[in-house]
Amino acid sequence: MKHFYISGIVIFLSLAIVSVIFAQQGPKPEGKVEYYKTPRPMALPFSDAARVGNILFLSGEIGVDYTTMKVVPGGIKAETKQTLDNIKATVEKYGSSMDNIFKCTVMIADMKEWPQMNEVYVTYFKKDRLPARSAIGANGLALGAKVEIECLATVDK
């Protein structure tokens, strides 16, 4: 009988400790989705980014100048630079940085232009922090763009 009494006390105290630990941690916001959208001259049917927990999911970005809503002239290198400048502005606006990007998907209209796109792309990341990446040859991109890049990044805050 004494053994059951001690076991009961141990179980009760264990449950009490676990309850206190969970109560101190508070509710977990992992499932909450936050949507971020910047007003633009032309209404776009998507958010710039969405955040779940500490992950920022960026929409695909093209080399558009948002003041004119036109793709920048100058070919694949100019478009890639503008695309990555747009990505940089977005991640910084929503609490992240280029160093926190861990995955990119590149869609390119002409795979023959891959080397030129890549020349610009690698300048935006530290050599020891290149994001994981996938590539897709595309038959057509928004506004006739030559390249579109979407990214995932962590947010420190």
Side-chain angles (χ1 to χ4, degrees), residues 10 22 28 52-53 65-66 88-89 101 105 115 119 135 137-138 148 156:
V10 170
F22 280 115
K28 300 277 187 195
V52 179
D65 174 347
Y66 282 112
K88 184 176 189 287
I101 293 176
T105 302
E119 273 182 52
E148 180 171 347
D156 294 330

Side-chain angles (χ1 to χ4, degrees), residues 63-110:
V64 69
D65 174 347
Y66 282 112
T67 59
T68 63
M69 293 304 294
K70 294 185 189 230
V71 174
V72 296
I76 190 72
K77 285 186 173 183
E79 284 189 39
T80 302
K81 181 183 181 320
Q82 184 65 50
T83 297
L84 289 160
D85 285 344
N86 291 346
I87 288 169
K88 184 176 189 287
T90 300
V91 293
E92 290 177 354
K93 181 175 184 173
Y94 299 120
S96 190
S97 70
M98 295 300 282
D99 286 344
N100 289 357
I101 293 176
F102 63 89
K103 172 70 170 99
C104 293
T105 302
V106 177
M107 293 148 274
I108 189 165
D110 184 352

